[in-house]
């Protein structure tokens, strides 16, 4: 592919290179030979129409990269530091320094395209009019003006540079964003973007700050940058935290039980160096504490004539209803049945809930779940809509649009008697070679969480729901 692009550019240097891919890839062999790159992730059934509209100027592009494009694969922190897929044990040595959080802190020269980057056929001017600090957040008022000759949308992004303190912190962390409406030339729009203090807090898993297992704001200056990508954002506001502010307190859970090292920034004359520190291990009494905190088992009563509808009516409690079930009944309910269960819509992913005669007798309905997250997957010949994949949707930085889209997806689910979509996918883009990155949104947890929330909100508007997956750690194909 590289050789083909290089030969074509040698003949036509004004060629528009269009790429469709599911993850970042190397372009260093030819990127300097072209002025124009139209990059897309898997965009679903409307890919052709979308490309035509963009190439012929019917609409102006307004997407932003939700993942950093490093110059080379070896520049990825999970590849060079995190021992990606090299052994049967996975050590997250890069810690919280994934994607742009690593590059902006330690290796800004290793980036081809930065996080949040994306061009338009028009230009925009940004002005931060006012920042109002409240007890739990800051409200930024930012006016966006279309200063070019074409209509288009822009994404305002806010990043925080927190003090390194005792815990260490990336040089930049996305903490707020908002997308404009379509602005005609000369038109302005003022956006109010809230940044919660919880969003920029650090978690102390070692107790070094004196506040073990707490989210805290360490003492020092907090600088906020406003712009259209992580590199272009300019410092617009600074506030000082006097003393340590505890945002929330927690209990240790699922901490490491085997020792390994992780990155911690150390300030040098030229910036920050990625030094290593030992990861704090699980407390000795954590397992015992977990056992002590388990809920008490509900004594088995056998069938007392209580049905699930009785719980809904309020004549019996859920505990009384569950007490009738054997261990086998409970296992059946959460295990479900595999692909193409005849109990539910043909060609879907699985049936769950009332999948046994005993559960049916108790009035437990059989639910239907179907593969997402790029629209429903139906293997029975029924037409289904192929939606843009997760990363493509995150490129929109547009929660309102995605809520509307997934409300319509919810209507499609109802029409096919599907209760639960197996999506959105929320795993973090840790490494470019994870073969399922395209299902997931971003390398950034804040963008990931807000986009997933918008999609679920849309599904709920239509009376169905989704399943966030794959909980955590699904970021490589081997080991």
């Amino acid at each position: 592919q590289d050789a083909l692009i290089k030969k074509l550019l040698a003949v036509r240097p004004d060629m528009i290179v269009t790429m469709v891919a599911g993850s970042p890839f190397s372009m260093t062999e030819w990127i300097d030979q072209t002025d124009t790159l139209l990059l897309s992730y898997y965009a679903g059934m409307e890919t052709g129409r979308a490309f035509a509209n963009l190439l012929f100027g019917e609409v102006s592009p307004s997407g932003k990269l939700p993942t950093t494009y490093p110059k080379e694969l070896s520049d990825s922190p999970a590849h060079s530091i995190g021992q990606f897929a090299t052994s049967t044990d996975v050590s997250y040595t890069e810690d919280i320094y994934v994607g742009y959080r690593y590059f902006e802190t330690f290796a800004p020269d290793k980036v081809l395209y930065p996080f949040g980057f994306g061009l338009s056929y028009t230009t925009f001017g940004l002005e931060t009019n006012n920042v109002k600090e409240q007890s739990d957040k800051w409200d930024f008022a930012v006016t966006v003006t279309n200063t070019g000759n074409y209509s288009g949308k822009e994404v305002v992004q806010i990043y925080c540079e927190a003090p390194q303190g005792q815990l260490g912190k990336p040089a930049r962390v996305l903490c707020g964003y908002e997308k404009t409406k379509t602005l005609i030339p000369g038109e302005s729009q003022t956006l109010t973007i809230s940044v919660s203090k919880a969003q920029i807090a650090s978690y102390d898993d070692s107790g070094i700050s004196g506040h073990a297992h707490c989210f805290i704001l360490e003492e020092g200056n907090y600088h906020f940058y406003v712009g259209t990508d992580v590199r272009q954002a300019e410092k617009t506001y600074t506030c000082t935290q006097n003393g340590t502010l505890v945002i929330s307190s927690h209990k240790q859970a699922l901490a490491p039980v085997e020792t390994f090292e992780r990155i911690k920034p150390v300030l040098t004359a030229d910036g920050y160096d990625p030094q290593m520190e030992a990861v704090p291990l699980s407390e000795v009494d954590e397992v015992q504490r977990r056992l002590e905190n388990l809920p008490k088992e509900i004594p088995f009563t056998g069938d007392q004539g209580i049905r699930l509808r009785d719980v809904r009516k309020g004549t019996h409690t859920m505990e009384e209803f569950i007490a009738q079930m054997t261990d086998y009944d409970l296992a059946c309910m959460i295990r479900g049945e595999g692909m193409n269960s005849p109990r539910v819509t043909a060609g879907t992913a699985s049936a769950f809930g009332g999948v046994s005669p005993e559960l049916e007798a108790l009035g437990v309905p059989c639910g239907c779940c179907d593969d997402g997250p790029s629209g429903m997957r139906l293997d029975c010949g029924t037409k289904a809509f192929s939606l843009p994949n997760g990363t493509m949707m995150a490129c929109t930085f547009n929660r309102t649009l995605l809520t509307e889209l997934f409300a319509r997806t919810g209507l499609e689910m109802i029409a096919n008697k599907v209760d639960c979509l197996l999506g959105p996918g929320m795993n973090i883009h840790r490494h470019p070679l994870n073969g399922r990155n395209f299902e997931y949104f971003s390398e950034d947890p804040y963008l990931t969480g807000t986009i997933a929330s918008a999609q679920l909100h849309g599904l709920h508007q239509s009376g169905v729901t989704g399943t966030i997956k794959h909980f955590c750690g699904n970021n490589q194909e081997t080991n």
Side-chain angles (χ1 to χ4, degrees):
Q1 292 176 332
D2 286 335
L4 176 62
I5 294 173
K6 288 168 67 176
K7 288 180 179 180
L8 289 170
L9 287 171
V11 177
R12 288 298 301 267
D14 59 345
M15 182 180 73
I16 298 172
V17 180
T18 59
M19 303 292 292
V20 178
S23 207
F25 51 91
S26 176
M27 294 180 273
T28 53
E29 285 192 36
W30 49 264
I31 193 64
D32 291 338
Q33 295 176 242
T34 181
D35 292 327
T36 310
L37 172 67
L38 178 57
L39 173 66
S40 172
Y41 291 88
Y42 308 132
M45 60 192 290
E46 288 294 308
T47 299
R49 196 189 313 270
F51 264 85
N53 287 340
L54 289 166
L55 290 169
F56 287 98
E58 296 295 326
V59 295
S60 181
S62 63
K64 302 289 183 176
L65 286 178
T67 296
T68 304
Y69 267 61
K71 291 180 179 178
E72 300 293 346
L73 178 65
S74 58
D75 296 329
S76 169
H79 194 88
S80 59
I81 299 173
Q83 305 164 353
F84 177 80
T86 57
S87 70
T88 55
D89 297 320
V90 180
S91 295
Y92 289 84
T93 310
E94 72 273 30
D95 200 58
I96 61 174
Y97 300 92
V98 175
Y100 76 90
R101 296 176 176 216
Y102 172 84
F103 289 110
E104 299 306 311
T105 308
F106 303 114
D109 59 326
K110 302 293 186 180
V111 174
L112 181 62
Y113 293 118
F115 178 88
F117 176 75
L119 297 177
S120 168
Y121 290 143
T122 190
T123 55
F124 297 92
L126 272 62
E127 182 180 0
T128 303
N129 303 318
N130 183 48
V131 181
K132 182 179 180 181
E133 182 175 0
Q134 302 187 43
S135 60
D136 60 343
K137 65 176 182 176
W138 296 270
D139 289 330
F140 288 76
V142 183
T143 298
V144 184
T145 302
N146 185 339
T147 57
N149 299 318
Y150 302 94
S151 297
K153 300 178 182 179
E154 184 57 285
V155 179
V156 177
Q157 303 165 38
I158 301 178
Y159 297 87
C160 180
E161 177 189 3
Q164 283 297 313
Q166 295 175 294
L167 297 174
K169 200 74 170 174
R172 298 287 186 278
V173 170
L174 178 70
C175 54
Y177 69 89
E178 198 66 60
K179 193 162 194 173
T180 68
K181 64 180 182 179
T182 299
L183 300 175
I184 63 175
E187 186 178 9
S188 298
Q189 181 182 2
T190 298
L191 302 173
T192 299
I193 303 173
S194 295
V195 175
S196 72
K197 294 186 177 180
Q199 179 56 35
I200 64 170
S202 301
Y203 183 70
D204 185 353
D205 59 359
S206 67
I208 190 174
S209 71
H211 302 279
H213 317 313
C214 294
F215 281 98
I216 64 173
L217 295 186
E218 292 197 84
E219 184 176 21
N221 293 325
Y222 288 76
H223 306 292
F224 292 90
Y225 298 76
V226 178
T228 55
D229 65 60
V230 69
R231 287 285 173 87
Q232 186 275 339
E234 298 180 352
K235 186 189 297 186
T236 59
Y237 180 74
T238 298
C239 69
T240 301
Q241 173 63 40
N242 297 314
T244 300
L245 175 64
V246 176
I247 300 296
S248 57
S249 301
H250 304 270
K251 293 181 179 179
Q252 187 183 58
L254 300 178
V257 296
E258 294 183 9
T259 184
F260 66 96
E261 292 187 321
R262 66 182 178 189
I263 289 179
K264 184 175 182 180
V266 174
L267 183 63
T268 68
D270 300 321
Y272 291 102
D273 278 347
Q275 302 293 324
M276 308 306 292
E277 68 172 5
V279 171
L281 300 181
S282 174
E283 297 169 352
V284 176
D285 62 347
E286 182 184 354
V287 174
Q288 182 61 36
R289 179 178 57 77
R290 290 182 194 167
L291 292 174
E292 292 173 355
N293 290 337
L294 285 175
K296 302 300 181 183
E297 183 174 356
I298 299 173
F300 175 65
T301 63
D303 190 352
Q304 302 294 306
I306 304 169
R307 299 299 176 256
L308 185 58
R309 61 178 175 270
D310 297 325
V311 178
R312 181 178 183 127
K313 288 189 295 185
T315 58
H316 290 85
T317 67
M318 182 62 77
E319 288 74 14
E320 292 172 324
F321 174 70
I322 291 174
Q324 304 173 107
M325 298 184 188
T326 66
D327 289 348
Y328 178 76
D329 294 332
L330 294 169
C332 284
M333 187 170 355
I334 64 170
R335 183 183 65 210
E337 290 189 347
M339 295 283 186
N340 298 310
S341 169
R343 297 177 182 273
V344 292
T345 302
T348 53
S350 181
F352 63 94
V355 297
S356 69
E358 293 80 8
L359 291 170
E360 288 180 0
L362 289 171
V364 178
C366 195
C368 177
C369 60
D370 196 29
D371 273 329
S374 303
M376 293 200 312
R377 180 184 61 77
L378 296 172
D379 288 348
C380 57
T382 303
K383 291 182 179 179
F385 291 95
S386 173
L387 301 183
N389 66 12
T391 313
M392 188 86 236
M393 293 194 198
C395 289
T396 67
F397 279 69
N398 192 328
R399 286 165 281 193
T400 302
L401 180 68
L402 294 182
T403 295
E404 179 182 347
L405 174 62
F406 274 76
R408 299 187 181 196
T409 298
L411 297 178
E412 184 190 11
M413 291 168 61
I414 291 171
N416 288 281
K417 297 182 173 60
V418 173
D419 305 288
C420 183
L421 186 72
L422 297 182
M426 289 186 66
N427 291 97
I428 296 299
H429 291 178
R430 180 184 179 226
H431 190 281
L433 294 189
N434 178 24
R436 298 185 75 170
N437 273 345
F438 69 93
E439 291 189 4
Y440 312 136
F441 297 125
S442 173
E443 66 192 21
D444 180 76
Y446 178 69
L447 180 62
T448 293
T450 52
I451 294 295
S453 178
Q455 292 186 359
L456 288 167
H457 183 54
L459 293 177
H460 296 166
Q461 287 181 0
S462 296
V464 293
T465 192
T467 303
I468 58 174
K469 63 181 190 183
H470 297 93
F471 180 56
C472 69
N474 191 62
N475 48 51
Q476 62 191 51
E477 302 302 312
T478 58
N479 301 324

